[in-house]
Amino acid sequence: MSVSGSGSGSVHVALLPSAGMGHLTPFLRLASLLVQHHCQVTLISPEPTVSFAESELISRFLSAFPEVNQIQFHLLPFDANTANSTDPFWLQFEAVRRSAHLLSSIIPSLSPPLSALITDVTLISSVIPVTESLCLPNYILFTSSAKLFSLFSFFPTASSSASLDAEILEIPGISPIPKSSIPPLLLVPKSLFANIFMECSAKLTKLHGVFINTFEGLEVQTLEALNGGKVIEGLPSIFSVGPFMPCEFEKRDQLGATLKWLDHQPAESVVYVSFGSRTAMTRNQIREIGHGLLRSGCKFLWVVKDKIVDKDEEEELDQVVGHEIMKRIKKQGMVVKTWVDQGEILGHKAVGGFVSHCGWNSVTEAAYHGVRILAWPLHGDQKINAEVVVMSGLGMWVKSWGWGGEIVVKGEEIGEAVKEMMGNESLKTKAAEVKEAARKAIDVGGSCEVAFRGLINEWKSNN
Ligand code: UDP
Ligand code: UDP
Ligand code: UDP
């Protein structure tokens, strides 16, 4: 994006992300946009991180932006047994929440004084008391879709009216959400996820604003409903500042094997298969995917992951995928079990389609590059994001595959669906339209620039 209108450098913004690459990556992309807009930026980074991928990304970000100040936020130890979750990322969310009061001594020590603090959605209820006592404007960067944000905003109303028990959840102004698409843990009373959602949503109106990595070409109806006060009244301003583009500092493997392999494939012939940074598949399902990709007859680049946290990955690719399939696969595709530069891959001319779990960053990256999606949502917010994918025309979704782990989806079905997605001309046209809208949103005068200009002027005038 090109940036105009320089500032005096007097605007100082701190960012506090939560755990996992799906949160850290968009926070660092937002940080780099703020730097481009001449803001001084402080990154408050919770330590230690859950995954290697996070600590590596932070190092690369800080090397690329030496002007950014880092505060290592050392989390207080806490007894994981006292939180209702076994997910390592959610336990870290809770650890950050329980340490948030420490910010009341960290923030006043920052110089020049902060104009704003931008935190993760899961921190709202624990950070608001601090920012209120310091009279500091508090914003969040919501790292999922505007559609999930509308569910988040409406959640206390839905819970108190028992609307969550119905087969279809009606949220004013937006398309109905089937119960089967609601993140399963939201429907489990007292789960850590439901508790955090409820507590933070209740404090939403105390925020100064909400950044969402989205744009009208993806979620026009939802954004209009949110901004028009239809979902709930009294919401803070919503700034749609997406789609965030992958940044230079994220690249790990510029001349790597995956990109070299793609260089040798015909244009738009390859399907890229990845389920994000924290979604492990069972070994049976992995093997069915291998069979499915072979049956599809398409070229493919497949990232295999069988552990939630990268620190636990031990087995070799051959062991996970199976020796026999691996031998056959090599003729038709490339399979890796390492971190790949997804931004580069989705932008490569050889890539025509994406089998994705619909983590929101993956969806917006595909939108930015106009790559059509076969949605295979597995956990949490991913079915809600898959609905956005289908409604915007960016992709298709085989709903009968259910949540991750509910059934083992057979290779035959996977192969058919991949073939259909890759061969579907209308999806291809629609994905190209979404890409055009994405580029417009981040171009000069687009929604992203308008939002930043307005905010930075406001912050300056408050100084
Ligand atoms: N990602 C990547 N390489 C990988 C796996 C993931 O670059 O091998 C990036 C991907 O581009 C995205 C983020 O990690 O920016 C994953 O976020 P997403 O919201 O898609 O899913 P999550 O990992 O949170 O489930
Ligand atoms: N999980 C995951 N990636 C995610 C979200 C969840 O790998 O983005 C894992 C998480 O570690 C948890 C499991 O999936 O152990 C179940 O999550 P889910 O949301 O499906 O909850 P459930 O089906 O148990 O209600
Ligand atoms: N989640 C879940 N079960 C778990 C852990 C996480 O359902 O055990 C889901 C939760 O439903 C939420 C999603 O993880 O919707 C996380 O969404 P978010 O964008 O906040 O985080 P990410 O998956 O990108 O790390």
Side-chain angles (χ1 to χ4, degrees), residues 296-307:
S296 74
C298 300
K299 293 273 185 160
F300 56 86
L301 169 55
W302 176 24
V303 186
V304 172
K305 193 161 163 49
D306 80 334
K307 293 284 185 303

Side-chain angles (χ1 to χ4, degrees), residues 19-24 26 84-91 93 120-122 142-145 148 182-186 193 197 277-279 308 357-361 378-382 385 403:
M21 290 297 271
H23 290 257
L24 181 64
N84 245 330
S85 178
T86 52
D87 181 90
F89 294 95
W90 279 85
L91 290 173
F93 291 0
D120 185 68
V121 62
T122 55
F142 192 73
T143 55
S144 185
S145 51
L148 185 74
I182 294 178
L185 286 173
L186 269 191
F193 183 43
F197 226 67
S277 65
R278 50 165 298 184
T279 295
I308 291 174
H357 71 315
C358 295
W360 189 245
N361 297 291
L378 296 162
H379 301 286
D381 59 346
Q382 296 157 15
N385 300 343
W403 289 108

